């Protein structure tokens, strides 16, 4: 993947996760640089729904911008940098304050996968509390040591709740990250309803979480979801998808289809 | 109904049920082949909101594709094939993970019709648990024996809940299936609220379920709802319905009206 | 108001109440004939969101169509006819199954106004149960005696809940009906949340309901809300409102403004 | 800021807060006159989603219109005038009936910030009850003494709940007001869910509220949110934002960018 393709894909992931209601004016999505694992890509400071490829800049793993710009930067960049440092296999990170997950950030309620889609949140969802190491703060994760502490709390898992703040999610690809971020937030919304019904909630067990989560993170389901959200984004942005895939208008979504094709490993869908 | 009309209608049902919030990136809708009861029609693997007539292919009741294609197929096709085998009167099937029904999939709470529209879910909504026969799995219903087990659990009813997974719905026509799928999900959302109010929920009794459900599944209400959802889909897809039914633009929705007319048996509406 | 204007306004009220989420594929809105109090206007059977002026027909108070048509009619017309018979001051009626009110239809929970807008539901919201007089039915109110029974339950009030079914709302004008229907449904949604918080819900008292409800049903607030919903409908239907009220496009909304002007009695808004 | 720019910005704030679901047919937003602190700007009486610059008029702090017009005025203008009198640092006020905050208006439940974004509601959210001083009324705050009483209840804080009515919010700028209004309503919705989970809700403590709230009300976050909501509004109104900021279409959003630039004080984002 070229740097230009990466910036295009990252901008799109920002806008998809915003359109699906997980990000709003705040939060951000990054990806590791496609050819230099010692750098990552992140937008300048603006609402994720507005991010375009030209907003995306390169950062070192110490979260310094490579080519300084005049515009503002996200102050919480260290969330991304410190996770990339700690987890070489992580290729993309999203930090958000999804409304459906805030109730879990301020109570002792554990997040539980209700089905295989929710199981992509990971075997456990650890909780990080900024008070434990840093006392009373403005809640922002702006210092390197705060980012490093959060990364330690995430440990080997994929989603970490941040007390009185939000959540941070990691993925082995931008598309996996998008899938996990959205379905974990959806699962949380349904779990609240299920907890309230109070009739003995029984979520997936450990083996089901592993089997179900892994099978959903295969290229087939991940790219199927990515195509779906991507077309929804195109529609919401006024770029109507072509009805006939062979017509001239079809070129618009060509890159996306190509990505699906390149990653396709088996014919086994869902 | 010709095969071409069937593919058009099935693609439309996929997109309607997605637009109405029951399907998202996952789930699928099938219909029995209009002239060969030993086959069914189903899209290749893609988000239901994206399904176009050219995505729809023919499958045997053993869920093998009749003319192999290069693209991925849904892995859970056996849900459809095994139900068509077991229930000759079933002409359409939808498998989904509606957010409003997931709480019922992980608790012991029974689904209850709150009014005549919800009564179309059927006299009972049985629950199938993949663990009972197959132990811990990835939750997907991908093997013929898993599909057959689910079809047995559905029995003579129309909606079956799948523990820690979602639901599967059957209908005697594509339009009836669409009606039942959407109104059952809507009823579930309202039931959660009603259960929480906790002031003595009293749903329809058995005779009211039968009378109310049946009266809603007459051609009149079913086609009225189908026309409504179909026009909403056209609007969402940028195909505005004509304001004057006699203008030249009216041809756009002509097939739909024709279908309504053909099925019309009585003038008794609602 | 001419008959043509009445049909236009009634079609618009149908589409407004649908757009605002109270009506869906089912339910209907009627108004008394503008010059003949012994007749009322109602659409032929179709989803309210689709109703156009040419769909609106005249009915006697016995709910017989004046000029028979080929298309289907709503089977529950008697809800409208019997209320118009019993209540000469009622000029418009809406029957619906709003999701936020269904929980009140199946539990013993009383509806309570949370603020002055909700107070337009009326001093009391009586409950009608079809089982009391008619035993187990399909829940539809299709027979004259069923409609008359419902009208008796409504009594001198403005909103009646129908057990295991939905609700029926009356108004002294189409615009008042639209206001009461929408704000009563919105109030119900908020009340459910308030009841669940369980920290001593204290609604308006009887005098506040009367004062607050009446002040909201003055022409000013009612027409302000009607203009708002009407412009939202225009936007949703692709008829963008003019930005400059004096431009040529402004004619599109001229009838609406005129109505506002005609009814304006004081400058006291809100 | 010129008066023309102020009217444009105020109209936009009205439409933004409506689009984001806090205002509906009712409620209103005002700002202090940009060059005369003894006056404020407010729309004539119409739904906030419809307010255009030409609807905005000047009022004295006694809530009298400076140049009388024929159209109706909001009857609750004194909410604005009395707060501007009592609080010289307040530059903008919003009165609303957000659905997510009504449950707090009728119960004894206190509003609690779940994260730093919610902390912008202020250190405390006092509650005003019209019954305390004025007994049973129609709930409207229409008399100067009612407005003054509400302003006293607000005291030195930024958000005041009005029992059985709604809420009023103040800000040191239009953009700060918009931020606080929207995020307080969003926090309320999430708090209801968190309270229901009932597993020991622990919100921000006093120091975190101060630190987190203040850091969010710096120009960076406030203008980032304003740009985001402003572009969403443009999209909803059919004015698509330019994809390439240097293209000719970019002029459309030029005023907004200029405002961001002018206020920008540091590069520290979030």
């Amino acid at each position: 993947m070229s740097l230009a393709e990466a910036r295009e894909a990252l901008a799109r992931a920002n806008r998809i996760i915003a359109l699906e209601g997980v990000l709003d004016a705040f939060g951000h999505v990054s990806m590791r640089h496609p050819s230099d694992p010692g750098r990552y890509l992140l937008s300048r400071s603006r609402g994720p729904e507005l991010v375009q490829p030209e907003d995306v800049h390169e950062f070192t793993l110490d979260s310094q911008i490579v080519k300084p710009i005049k515009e503002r930067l996200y102050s919480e960049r260290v969330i991304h940098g410190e996770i990339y440092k700690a987890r070489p296999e992580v290729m993309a990170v999203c930090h958000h304050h999804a409304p459906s997950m805030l109730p879990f950030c301020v109570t002792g309620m554990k997040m539980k996968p209700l089905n295989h889609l929710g199981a992509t949140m990971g075997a456990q969802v650890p909780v990080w509390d900024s008070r434990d190491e840093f006392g009373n703060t403005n809640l922002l994760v702006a210092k390197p040591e705060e980012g490093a502490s959060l990364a330690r709390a995430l440990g080997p898992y994929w989603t970490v709740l941040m007390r009185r703040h939000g959540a941070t999610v990691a993925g082995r690809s931008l598309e996996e990250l998008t899938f996990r971020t959205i379905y974990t937030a959806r699962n949380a919304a349904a779990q609240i309803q299920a907890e309230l019904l109070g009739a003995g909630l029984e979520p997936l067990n450990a083996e089901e979480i592993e089997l179900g989560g892994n099978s959903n993170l295969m290229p087939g389901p991940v790219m199927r979801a990515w195509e779906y959200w991507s077309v929804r984004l195109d529609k919401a942005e006024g770029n109507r998808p072509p009805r006939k895939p062979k017509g001239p208008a079809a070129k618009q979504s060509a890159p996306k289809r190509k990505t699906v094709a390149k990653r396709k490993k088996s014919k086994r869908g869902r």
Side-chain angles (χ1 to χ4, degrees), chain A residues 100-114:
Chain A
S100 65
M101 288 168 69
L102 283 183
F104 296 89
C105 294
V106 291
T107 62
M109 182 60 70
K110 287 171 70 83
M111 290 186 63
K112 303 165 191 164
L114 305 193

Side-chain angles (χ1 to χ4, degrees), chain A residues 26-170:
Chain A
F26 296 97
H28 16 80
V29 188
S30 71
M31 69 180 288
R32 203 184 281 270
H33 192 292
S35 55
D36 180 353
R39 292 188 177 174
Y40 67 91
L41 305 177
L42 182 71
S43 172
R44 66 179 176 91
S45 176
R46 66 184 325 201
E49 193 168 312
L50 313 185
V51 172
Q52 298 297 334
E54 55 269 25
D55 297 320
V56 173
H57 298 277
E58 292 183 42
F59 295 84
T60 65
L61 294 196
D62 284 330
S63 298
Q64 300 301 310
I65 193 165
V66 173
K67 298 180 191 166
I69 58 170
K70 285 176 299 184
E71 289 89 355
R72 294 169 53 84
L73 303 180
Y74 295 125
S75 67
E76 295 191 314
R77 305 187 295 282
V78 295
I79 292 176
H80 302 267
E82 298 302 320
I83 290 176
Y84 290 124
K85 273 188 205 168
R87 295 276 298 273
E89 80 281 27
V90 167
M91 300 306 281
V93 171
C94 176
H95 168 60
H96 68 76
H97 320 100
S100 65
M101 288 168 69
L102 283 183
F104 296 89
C105 294
V106 291
T107 62
M109 182 60 70
K110 287 171 70 83
M111 290 186 63
K112 303 165 191 164
L114 305 193
N115 70 358
H116 47 308
L117 297 165
T120 57
M121 70 175 71
Q124 286 187 38
V125 176
V127 180
W128 179 75
D129 190 328
S130 54
R131 269 188 217 158
D132 291 345
E133 283 182 56
F134 306 99
N136 294 336
T137 67
N138 64 5
L139 276 308
L140 297 182
V141 180
K143 298 177 187 162
E145 58 269 31
E146 291 167 338
S149 171
L150 176 65
R152 282 194 300 275
L154 174 63
Y157 303 108
W158 297 99
T159 307
V160 59
L161 285 179
M162 302 155 78
R163 288 283 280 180
R164 303 176 307 290
H165 183 150
T168 296
V169 186

Side-chain angles (χ1 to χ4, degrees), chain A residues 2 5 83 92 115 130 148 153 157 189 216 226 246 253 255-256:
Chain A
S2 73
E5 285 169 337
I83 290 176
N115 70 358
S130 54
Y157 303 108
N216 267 287
W226 176 264
K246 276 155 197 159
S253 61
K256 198 165 55 233

Side-chain angles (χ1 to χ4, degrees), chain A residues 117-118 120 178-188 225 228-229:
Chain A
L117 297 165
T120 57
T178 301
F179 189 110
R180 177 177 289 121
T181 300
I182 294 174
Y183 273 110
T184 299
R186 300 270 161 91
N187 190 89
Y228 162 68
W229 288 316

Side-chain angles (χ1 to χ4, degrees), chain A residues 116-117 119-122 158 170-173 175-181 183 209-223 263 270:
Chain A
H116 47 308
L117 297 165
T120 57
M121 70 175 71
W158 297 99
R172 286 164 300 186
S173 70
E175 294 86 354
E176 176 182 308
L177 174 79
T178 301
F179 189 110
R180 177 177 289 121
T181 300
Y183 273 110
I209 292 174
E210 189 183 345
L211 294 171
N214 286 346
S215 90
N216 267 287
L217 295 175
M218 297 286 280
V222 163
M223 295 314 298
R263 291 180 178 253
R270 156 152 339 200

Side-chain angles (χ1 to χ4, degrees), chain A residues 1-16 29 31 53 56 174-175 178 226 233 259:
Chain A
M1 188 191 278
S2 73
L3 179 58
E5 285 169 337
R7 293 169 86 194
E8 168 71 32
L10 178 57
R12 184 165 280 269
N14 271 274
R15 301 202 306 278
I16 282 173
V29 188
M31 69 180 288
V56 173
L174 196 58
E175 294 86 354
T178 301
W226 176 264
L233 179 71
T259 315

